Amino acid sequence: MFICSPVFEEGRSPYYLQLYQYMKKEIVEGRLSATEKLPSIRGLSTHLHVSKNTVEAAYQQLLAEGYIESQPKKGYFVSQVGPSLFKTIQTKEENKFRFNPSINVQTQLPYDFHYGSIERSAFPMKQWKKWSNLAYEMEMGATQAYGEAQGEQSLREEIANYLLQARGINSTAGQIYITSGTQQSISLLCQSILASNQQVAFEEPGYNEARLMFKSHHFSIQPISLEHDGLNVKELNQTQAKIVYTTPSHQFPCGMIMPIKKRLELIQWANETGGIVIEDDYDGEYRYRGKPIPALRSLSDEIIYLGTFSKMLLPSLRISFAVLPPRMLEKLQTLNQTVPRVIQNTMSLFMKEGDWERHVRRMKTLYQKKHDLLIHSIEEHLGESVKIVGSDSGLHLLLEVHSNDTEQQLIDKAAENGVKVYPTHLYWSDPRKVHQKLIMIGFGNIENEKINKGILKLQEAWFGLREDG
Ligand SMILES: Cc1ncc(COP(=O)(O)O)c(C=O)c1O
């Protein structure tokens, strides 16, 4: 019989990680043999005096990596890998890669406030399948092999119509380029529109995936601080940068909306310096108080606008787009299109036949509800112990936690109690300059029923059980 006796070390790493590492070692070194039954979650939690969530999280990690298997109604068993196969693993101590399975990557926990996901159950599967079938039939009759380099004309026309109605943007299909993600839009700009090796003024903190893309194309980053209403334009004016990347609808990650005065100052900066403004409007449609604010691009045709379907439809479809100023079109070196034509045609039929409009309306109502529930739960359970930052954001908000714990300690404590929350230090270009301790709480894919419970669990994890609870 397996005797599970890990020695937990306070403060080393979360208990569930220590338990996971202990059990993995037992399996790899053959002390826990193939097909052996593991103790139940409840049994082991009682035996070790840790919470059921701790054991469950450790089992989930082992399960995800294939060390153990779960058999319905029977329990958990060690997988049949065999100790001889494990011997093929390089075990020399100095060669060991110290992989710490960060809770942010794979570990599943019952309450996951992930930012990048959206509610999959709201995906309009029936309509999507209908238009997808038709798109495949169209594909069989197509004459061109690869499709149009900029993306299908029909989709670009639908996007131009939508942008006019929803974001106040005047554009034509010819100015639109379909891409497979915002990073790819930036890559396209770096490859064919922007003069190479320049400085890019970048919001600090800002969207690190965009920053990485500029850097990988050898552009240097000039961090520009934020004011209460977004990018500090005065600071921008003092730099040599001729390109600025900004998220005016909801600053990412802090959520503030750039007011019209600042928008005009930014356009003035571009006019006076010949500078280029890149607007990333990733979730501008989501506005829970009042109407959506028109995009910055609605004020000037000279702005490069980046849009995406990731936040409204499904991130894994990988459809995004860039709207380019007319004067830049001739610079565009069209490469082969990367978004599959059937997906583009499905999207274009979905938009043309009115399903997109209905879906957008539905998503706004759905997320309004989640957003309100989350704010209400935070106010009720965390109250004065936290400050909400960026409650205007579309699918996440930040918590400034009044505690002496570090960002990582707060994340670990939450994980111990079954809640997954996320760090923000990576949004600073120099994480050593992070002066605020902010925890990211996404609400895109957490069920309404779990929001309140999840926040209550955060309260317990960070501040201990309340006397009234
Ligand atoms: C600031 C920002 N821009 C853009 C995106 C969308 O990226 P993509 O179009 O690659 O899905 C995200 C998604 O998380 C984002 O946070």
Side-chain angles (χ1 to χ4, degrees):
M1 203 193 109
F2 168 54
I3 301 167
C4 185
S5 50
V7 180
F8 290 113
E9 285 175 47
E10 191 89 37
R12 176 161 75 86
S13 59
Y15 278 9
Y16 84 92
L17 267 187
Q18 296 188 41
L19 180 58
Y20 148 80
Q21 275 153 351
Y22 167 83
M23 294 189 80
K24 187 164 123 179
K25 196 157 182 264
E26 294 299 285
I27 295 171
V28 171
E29 294 178 2
R31 284 184 292 280
L32 251 175
S33 44
T35 71
E36 188 163 338
K37 188 172 189 311
L38 296 176
S40 69
I41 291 176
R42 181 191 293 270
L44 194 54
S45 93
T46 313
H47 171 64
L48 297 176
H49 304 290
V50 295
S51 74
K52 279 193 284 179
N53 285 330
T54 299
V55 180
E56 190 175 355
Y59 277 17
Q60 285 298 337
Q61 186 64 31
L62 292 165
L63 207 55
E65 294 184 24
Y67 286 94
I68 63 170
E69 289 166 2
S70 141
Q71 291 184 18
K73 299 206 177 116
K74 290 192 180 153
Y76 294 95
F77 295 83
V78 178
S79 299
Q80 280 199 354
V81 179
S84 56
L85 207 49
F86 279 128
K87 290 214 176 83
T88 59
I89 301 175
Q90 171 64 273
T91 50
K92 249 180 143 184
E93 200 54 36
E94 66 270 25
N95 290 343
K96 263 190 190 164
F97 171 47
R98 297 197 180 280
F99 176 63
N100 182 353
S102 152
I103 65 127
N104 297 323
V105 185
Q106 289 151 334
T107 322
Q108 285 175 8
L109 292 177
Y111 303 92
D112 188 351
F113 288 96
H114 187 239
Y115 159 64
S117 319
I118 66 163
E119 177 133 355
R120 285 198 185 80
S121 61
F123 182 73
M125 188 63 91
K126 203 167 129 224
Q127 290 90 326
W128 189 261
K129 276 187 178 164
K130 176 170 139 192
W131 301 126
S132 171
N133 283 345
L134 190 53
Y136 272 102
E137 279 169 27
M138 284 159 59
E139 188 58 31
M140 296 306 116
T143 48
Q144 265 187 331
Y146 280 24
E148 294 173 61
Q150 265 183 252
E152 294 305 288
Q153 169 86 13
S154 58
L155 176 58
R156 289 184 284 119
E157 279 169 8
E158 288 304 326
I159 292 176
N161 285 340
Y162 171 69
L163 289 178
L164 182 59
Q165 287 166 37
R167 311 295 301 124
I169 293 175
N170 242 313
S171 64
T172 61
Q175 288 169 256
I176 296 177
Y177 199 108
I178 309 291
T179 64
S180 50
T182 301
Q183 277 194 327
Q184 208 220 342
S185 298
I186 293 174
S187 179
L188 173 82
L189 298 178
C190 294
Q191 271 169 5
S192 57
I193 306 286
L194 307 170
S196 48
N197 301 331
Q198 291 192 71
Q199 256 189 22
V200 179
F202 204 94
E203 292 167 340
E204 177 84 339
Y207 185 43
N208 62 327
E209 311 222 343
R211 185 166 43 222
L212 281 174
M213 212 57 202
F214 283 115
K215 279 181 158 177
S216 72
H217 283 275
H218 309 292
F219 285 72
S220 60
I221 297 293
Q222 172 68 59
I224 306 285
S225 64
L226 299 179
E227 297 178 301
H228 72 281
D229 54 1
L231 185 95
N232 185 336
V233 181
K234 279 194 206 80
E235 202 175 303
L236 171 66
N237 268 301
Q238 285 156 14
T239 70
Q240 301 298 312
K242 289 283 183 295
I243 303 170
V244 60
Y245 163 92
T246 180
T247 47
S249 295
H250 291 141
Q251 199 282 331
F252 185 87
C254 293
M256 62 278 269
I257 299 171
M258 189 184 280
I260 185 70
K261 180 166 176 284
K262 195 161 257 195
R263 289 175 185 235
L264 295 173
E265 284 167 1
L266 201 51
I267 292 172
Q268 192 179 30
W269 167 84
N271 291 342
E272 286 173 4
T273 63
I276 294 175
V277 180
I278 302 172
E279 172 184 24
D280 181 355
D281 194 30
Y282 62 107
D283 75 348
E285 293 99 334
Y286 291 120
R287 177 142 166 72
Y288 308 120
R289 283 177 287 177
K291 282 161 73 71
I293 316 264
L296 182 62
R297 172 64 171 71
S298 69
L299 299 172
S300 162
D301 289 353
E302 286 298 300
I303 283 162
I304 297 179
Y305 176 90
L306 308 183
T308 180
F309 289 108
S310 293
K311 300 289 167 204
M312 271 288 169
L313 199 55
L314 205 57
S316 54
L317 284 176
R318 306 313 296 136
I319 323 182
S320 304
F321 52 89
V323 183
L324 300 171
R327 75 181 162 94
M328 291 182 189
L329 289 177
E330 62 192 37
K331 285 186 166 184
L332 194 65
Q333 295 157 18
T334 44
L335 305 164
N336 280 336
Q337 180 50 233
T338 55
V339 182
R341 182 163 54 188
V342 277
I343 294 203
Q344 292 184 61
N345 281 332
T346 307
M347 187 71 215
S348 120
L349 289 163
F350 185 75
M351 292 180 94
K352 190 164 173 216
E353 301 302 327
D355 287 327
W356 166 247
E357 208 182 306
R358 274 187 287 280
H359 177 69
V360 168
R361 251 185 277 132
R362 203 166 147 236
M363 293 300 274
K364 285 185 183 172
T365 315
L366 195 135
Y367 283 122
Q368 166 98 56
K369 200 161 171 198
K370 277 190 198 296
H371 174 266
D372 294 353
L373 254 167
L374 179 63
I375 300 263
H376 181 262
S377 303
I378 292 173
E379 284 171 354
E380 185 180 355
H381 301 306
L382 291 164
E384 302 285 298
S385 320
V386 299
K387 181 175 159 212
I388 300 177
V389 176
S391 59
D392 281 325
S393 293
L395 294 171
H396 75 279
L397 45 83
L398 305 180
L399 291 183
E400 193 179 311
V401 187
H402 304 151
S403 141
N404 292 330
D405 288 331
T406 62
E407 181 189 78
Q408 192 55 46
Q409 283 168 332
L410 290 170
I411 290 170
D412 289 346
K413 282 187 175 178
E416 288 287 332
N417 214 24
V419 188
K420 220 164 155 182
V421 290
Y422 292 82
T424 54
H425 67 266
L426 64 167
Y427 300 125
W428 268 262
S429 61
D430 181 355
R432 285 169 306 181
K433 297 215 176 106
V434 181
H435 55 86
Q436 252 177 319
K437 192 174 49 197
L438 297 168
I439 298 290
M440 180 173 269
I441 308 272
F443 53 92
N445 193 31
I446 183 157
E447 294 96 322
N448 287 355
E449 306 71 54
K450 285 191 173 177
I451 291 179
N452 192 44
K453 190 82 189 287
I455 296 297
L456 185 59
K457 286 197 157 282
L458 263 191
Q459 193 276 328
E460 287 169 15
W462 288 345
F463 304 105
L465 281 173
R466 284 199 326 209
E467 279 172 18
D468 59 352

